[in-house]
């Protein structure tokens, strides 16, 4: 069993390396800017969902307020950049740290809440953040911030002529989020999280420090999501509260994991790879009329998959594999 | 700020609060019955508002008269949603909470998309209803008639629900199923029928609220979202599953909103509600009237 687990982890790492290598080569063949754009968004949502999955999937604390951390990453980066001329890289890290600290600060009261009470508290806190930013004059209020062009370089993290650098950053972020998950999965924390998710009382009685392990999950999760927010802000070159902190982001982060498989290493990647291109394509081919057909398709898919495959699409693979192993 | 202005806004807050309570009570009922949160609750409200609008636009039936019709239609809709979606979501063994959340969320997205498809994203309103635009004045306090009727209907609906739960056979079956869904099967109660009834009842209540609100709110595909969040807060504030808690929670939310609007800019009026909600659940994680 242990041997199988170690072998599986090694195999996961190899598959991930091969996939990342193939993805890195993709722009050699895909020159179409529209398709590149979809790839960038897919990688970004895979990274975000992977990060969300750490707290909500592995540790079982379902958050529908992660847009807060996404927005904090975006705003910290851009406020530092536009107001003080601080390079986006520092703003990005700063945003990650602030988001992690806020996540832990909120953890004190929030982690006492159970089930639906926790979910609703996370929605509410993100909504408060949204309202505050919409009314915060210094941060551009509801109008938001247009990011000034200061150059075309990795140093300034701004690229005018090509989208490729954004693609490689998104790929790197996706790899980072995946690797962090992979690494934590087999750490003390990873085992604690699964114990906390399955049965907090039993975990507590066996010496798992439930509260601390939730705090750890929240901090890692929020930090990575904020990095994603900082990236998104640089990528769009424009932010306003609704477009970086709106409820749809909380949902869009959760959905790939839900679709692919919650609390699994590959779920968020698989989910994002299917969901994001589908969303973008339905939006441009049938959603352009503004008549909501994309929403209907999208929503129906969520209902069907969550009912038919509660463990996500990855369960299709593991099921066949488990059968193969026993035979 | 005069005493008059404060009393005026408290009175408006109370009227709105009773309506918030009515929106929330269906949510509380379903949660109390089967531990499920309907994340499409706001969309139930939205279709009730559209139903009321179209009954007015095509058949010139005033919302006041169509409210029972809309409630009845929503009753059927709620029961169907239970039978087609929620029943299966309850069977999930893995990730049960997640499945319930996302299957109802998915439903909400579909409903919003359908509303956009069939009714367009345009804002609609019912300009000439019997009550629209009329106010009555009591001791210098102005009360809009639609809100006043809404508050009265809410109180009657709460009383009716209370009577239904405590005095009828169906209500007793509801209570028994809530106590022990396994044991009721032994005395010949069909759990699925009771749950479907609960969903129908919950939807009918929010349908009633929607029909009345159609008179004084704009109607558009996303209208449910903001009211849904207030409804979740109302229910969590009162304590999930407590019908009385939803009633009290609604009144508190309405009053808090009115007071916040007096001291903060209007765009921040919901912050007061959220702050009070957070304060309450931090002190009492089960809400004001929640059990356990």
């Amino acid at each position: 069993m242990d041997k199988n687990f170690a072998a599986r982890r090694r195999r996961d790492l190899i598959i991930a390396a091969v996939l990342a290598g193939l993805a890195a080569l993709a722009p050699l063949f895909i020159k179409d800017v529209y398709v590149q754009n979809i790839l960038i968004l897919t990688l970004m949502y895979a990274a975000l969902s992977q990060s969300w999955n750490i707290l909500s999937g592995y540790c079982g604390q379902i958050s529908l307020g992660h847009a807060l951390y996404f927005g904090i990453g975006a705003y910290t980066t851009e406020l530092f950049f536009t107001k003080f001329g601080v390079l986006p890289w520092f703003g990005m890290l700063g945003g990650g740290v602030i988001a992690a600290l806020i996540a832990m600060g909120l953890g004190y009261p929030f982690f006492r809440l159970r089930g639906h009470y926790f979910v609703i508290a996370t929605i509410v806190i993100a909504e408060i953040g949204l309202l505050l930013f919409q009314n915060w004059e210094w941060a551009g209020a509801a109008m938001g911030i247009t990011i000034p062009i200061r150059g075309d370089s990795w140093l300034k993290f701004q690229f005018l002529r090509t989208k490729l650098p954004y693609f490689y950053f998104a790929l790197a972020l996706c790899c980072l989020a995946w690797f962090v998950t992979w690494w934590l999965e087999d750490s003390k924390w990873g085992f604690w999280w699964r114990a906390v998710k399955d049965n907090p009382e039993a975990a507590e009685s066996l010496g798992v420090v439930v509260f601390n392990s939730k705090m750890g999950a929240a901090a890692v999760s929020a930090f990575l999501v904020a990095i994603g927010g900082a990236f998104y802000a640089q990528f769009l070159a424009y932010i306003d509260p609704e477009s970086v902190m709106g409820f749809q982001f909380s949902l869009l982060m959760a959905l790939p994991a839900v679709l692919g498989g919650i609390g699994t290493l590959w779920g968020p990647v698989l989910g994002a790879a299917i969901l994001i291109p589908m969303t973008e394509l339905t939006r441009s081919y049938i959603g352009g009329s503004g008549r909501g057909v994309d929403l209907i398709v999208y929503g129906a898919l969520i209902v069907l998959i969550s009912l038919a495959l509660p463990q996500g699409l990855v369960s299709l693979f593991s099921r066949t594999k488990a059968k193969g192993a026993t035979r | 700020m005069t005493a008059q202005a404060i009393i005026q806004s408290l009175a408006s807050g109370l009227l709105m609060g009773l309506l918030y309570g009515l929106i929330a009570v269906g949510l509380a009922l379903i949660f109390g019955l089967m531990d499920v949160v309907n994340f499409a609750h706001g969309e139930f409200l939205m279709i009730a508002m559209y139903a009321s609008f179209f009954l007015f636009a095509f058949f010139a039936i005033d919302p006041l008269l169509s409210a029972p019709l809309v409630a009845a239609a929503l009753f059927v809709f709620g029961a169907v949603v239970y039978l087609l979606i929620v029943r299966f979501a309850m069977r999930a063994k893995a990730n049960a909470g997640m499945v319930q959340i996302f299957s109802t969320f998915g439903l909400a997205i579909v409903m919003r998309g359908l509303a956009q498809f069939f009714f367009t994203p345009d804002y609609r309103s019912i300009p000439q209803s019997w009550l629209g635009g009329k106010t009555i004045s009591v001791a210098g306090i102005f009360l809009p008639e639609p809100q006043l009727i809404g508050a009265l209907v809410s109180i009657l609906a709460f009383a009716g629900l209370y009577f239904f739960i405590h005095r009828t056979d169906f209500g007793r079956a509801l209570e028994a199923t809530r106590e022990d869904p396994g044991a009721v099967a032994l005395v010949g109660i069909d759990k699925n029928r009771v749950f479907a009834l609960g969903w129908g009842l919950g939807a009918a209540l929010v349908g009633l609220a929607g029909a009345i609100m159609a008179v004084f709110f704009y109607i558009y595909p996303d209208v449910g979202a903001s009211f849904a969040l207030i409804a979740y807060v109302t229910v969590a504030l009162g304590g999930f599953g407590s019908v009385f808690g939803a009633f009290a929670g609604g009144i508190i939310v309405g009053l808090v909103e009115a007071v916040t609007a007096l001291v903060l800019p209007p765009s921040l009026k919901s912050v007061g509600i959220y702050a009070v909600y957070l304060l309450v659940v931090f002190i009492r994680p089960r809400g004001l009237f929640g059990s356990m």
Side-chain angles (χ1 to χ4, degrees):
Chain A
M1 180 68 201
D2 276 335
K3 208 175 163 188
N4 279 341
F5 183 63
R8 185 181 69 87
R9 282 180 58 77
R10 215 173 312 125
R11 195 201 63 212
D12 283 337
L13 197 59
I14 293 167
I15 295 175
V18 171
L19 284 180
L22 288 176
L25 294 176
L28 289 179
F29 309 102
I30 298 162
K31 303 285 185 201
D32 188 74
V33 177
Y34 173 71
V35 180
Q36 285 183 354
N37 204 35
I38 292 180
L39 290 179
I40 293 170
L41 288 177
T42 304
L43 289 168
M44 184 187 82
Y45 280 112
L48 292 173
S49 194
Q50 196 96 47
S51 317
W52 176 87
N53 194 33
I54 292 174
L55 178 65
S56 300
Y58 282 93
C59 194
Q61 310 299 306
I62 305 173
S63 160
L64 287 176
H66 262 44
L68 178 70
Y69 308 126
F70 190 74
I72 284 171
Y75 265 98
T76 311
T77 308
E78 300 319 339
L79 285 174
F80 273 117
F81 189 51
T82 54
K83 305 280 177 182
F84 310 115
V86 177
L87 287 178
W89 300 108
F90 298 110
M92 187 180 269
L93 279 180
V97 171
I98 293 173
L101 289 176
I102 289 178
M104 289 167 79
L106 292 174
Y108 272 98
F110 278 23
F111 287 140
R112 289 169 55 219
L113 304 175
R114 285 291 173 79
H116 297 290
Y117 285 87
F118 180 83
V119 179
I120 286 163
T122 60
I123 301 178
V124 162
I125 202 77
E127 200 64 23
I128 292 179
L130 176 67
L131 284 172
L132 293 181
F133 271 94
Q134 277 173 342
N135 286 275
W136 189 12
E137 291 300 331
W138 187 71
M143 292 293 292
I145 304 173
T146 304
I147 288 113
I149 293 155
R150 297 270 160 78
D152 188 333
S153 67
W154 275 102
L155 183 70
K156 302 270 164 64
F157 197 41
Q158 277 190 335
F159 308 98
L160 308 174
R161 284 186 294 274
T162 165
K163 282 178 185 255
L164 279 189
Y166 293 120
F167 172 84
Y168 285 109
F169 184 88
L171 178 61
L173 185 62
C174 185
C175 290
L176 174 73
W178 186 91
F179 186 75
V180 168
T181 311
W182 179 85
W183 178 53
L184 288 172
E185 210 183 35
D186 191 33
S187 71
K188 179 179 75 181
W189 273 12
F191 290 101
W192 280 7
W193 289 340
R194 286 186 288 265
V196 168
K197 181 187 182 177
D198 289 344
N199 191 337
E201 283 83 13
E204 190 96 66
S205 74
L206 291 172
V208 172
V209 189
V210 172
F211 182 75
N212 286 3
S213 71
K214 285 181 185 173
M215 285 294 236
V220 175
S221 184
F223 179 87
L224 289 170
V225 166
I227 302 281
F231 162 77
Y232 189 67
Q234 288 295 116
F235 176 55
L236 284 194
Y238 168 75
I239 56 171
D240 68 68
E242 190 62 45
S243 72
V244 290
M245 220 180 262
F247 179 68
Q248 75 271 16
F249 278 102
S250 298
L251 210 53
L252 279 171
M253 272 178 239
L255 288 178
V258 172
L259 190 74
I262 275 172
T264 64
L265 188 56
W266 290 102
V269 181
L270 184 66
I274 294 169
L275 198 66
I276 306 303
M278 196 195 76
T279 315
E280 295 300 316
L281 293 173
T282 46
R283 189 178 295 159
S284 38
Y285 289 110
I286 51 177
S289 56
R291 305 215 56 182
V293 180
D294 52 333
L295 290 180
I296 302 170
V297 174
Y298 191 56
L301 215 78
I302 296 167
V303 176
L304 286 178
I305 290 182
S306 61
L307 290 183
L309 292 169
Q311 286 169 291
L313 291 167
V314 287
S315 64
L316 289 177
F317 296 95
S318 57
R319 206 174 289 161
T320 51
K321 223 165 275 160
K323 270 179 200 156
T326 47
R327 267 169 205 165
Chain B
M1 198 184 303
T2 61
Q4 183 89 2
I6 295 172
I7 296 171
Q8 171 72 59
S9 73
L10 287 180
S12 318
L14 181 67
L15 294 187
M16 202 55 220
L18 283 163
L19 211 50
Y20 286 153
L22 181 57
I23 299 173
V25 71
L27 206 59
L29 181 75
I30 292 169
F31 185 89
L33 186 61
M34 53 201 281
D35 241 30
V36 171
V37 172
N38 175 17
F39 278 96
H41 198 67
E43 281 60 35
F44 282 33
L45 184 77
M46 180 262 299
I47 56 161
M49 290 173 83
Y50 271 110
S52 182
F53 171 82
F54 285 115
L55 283 171
F56 182 78
F58 292 143
F59 307 106
I61 308 178
D62 193 87
L64 211 53
L65 290 183
S66 68
L69 287 177
V70 173
L74 263 286
F75 180 93
V76 175
F77 181 74
V80 168
V81 166
Y82 170 75
L83 292 172
L84 289 185
I85 295 176
V86 184
R87 183 158 60 111
F88 297 101
M90 303 271 295
R91 285 188 197 159
K93 289 191 179 63
N95 296 324
M98 210 75 85
V99 171
Q100 291 162 11
I101 290 175
F102 285 101
S103 55
T104 51
F105 248 133
L107 174 68
I109 295 172
V110 172
M111 287 173 68
R112 237 181 272 179
L114 286 172
Q116 246 181 60
F117 184 76
F118 287 111
F119 313 140
T120 76
D122 295 347
Y123 281 53
R124 294 167 196 279
S125 62
I126 301 178
Q128 285 142 337
S129 64
W130 291 346
L131 299 169
K134 290 182 193 156
T135 52
I136 47 173
S137 131
V138 182
I141 308 293
F142 290 96
L143 300 171
E145 277 182 31
Q147 275 92 328
L148 205 58
I149 295 293
L152 277 177
V153 170
S154 304
I155 294 172
L156 287 176
F158 281 118
L161 185 67
Y162 189 86
F163 176 80
F164 181 81
I165 292 176
H166 294 281
R167 293 282 183 276
T168 65
D169 281 347
F170 255 143
R172 286 192 197 99
L174 218 64
E175 276 294 294
T177 311
R178 163 206 184 109
E179 295 282 316
D180 191 340
V184 291
L186 299 175
V187 292
I189 296 174
D190 180 355
K191 191 178 71 178
N192 270 324
R193 267 186 66 187
V194 174
F195 284 161
L197 174 79
W199 270 79
L201 211 59
L205 289 163
V206 73
L208 207 54
I212 294 162
M213 283 169 62
V215 182
F216 54 96
F217 274 102
Y218 280 109
I219 304 159
Y220 54 99
D222 289 345
V223 66
S226 53
F227 287 106
L229 187 54
I230 293 178
Y232 301 136
V233 167
T234 303
V235 172
L237 190 69
F240 271 113
S242 163
V243 167
F244 177 73
F247 186 65
I251 293 173
I252 295 171
V253 163
L255 292 176
V256 169
E257 190 184 52
V259 172
T260 318
L262 282 178
V263 292
L264 287 180
S267 54
L268 283 174
K269 69 173 183 183
S270 319
V271 168
I273 303 176
Y274 300 150
V276 168
Y277 155 76
L278 290 176
L279 197 69
V280 169
V281 291
F282 293 158
I283 298 167
R284 272 185 68 91
R286 287 269 155 193
L288 288 173
F289 302 97
S291 49
M292 280 164 70

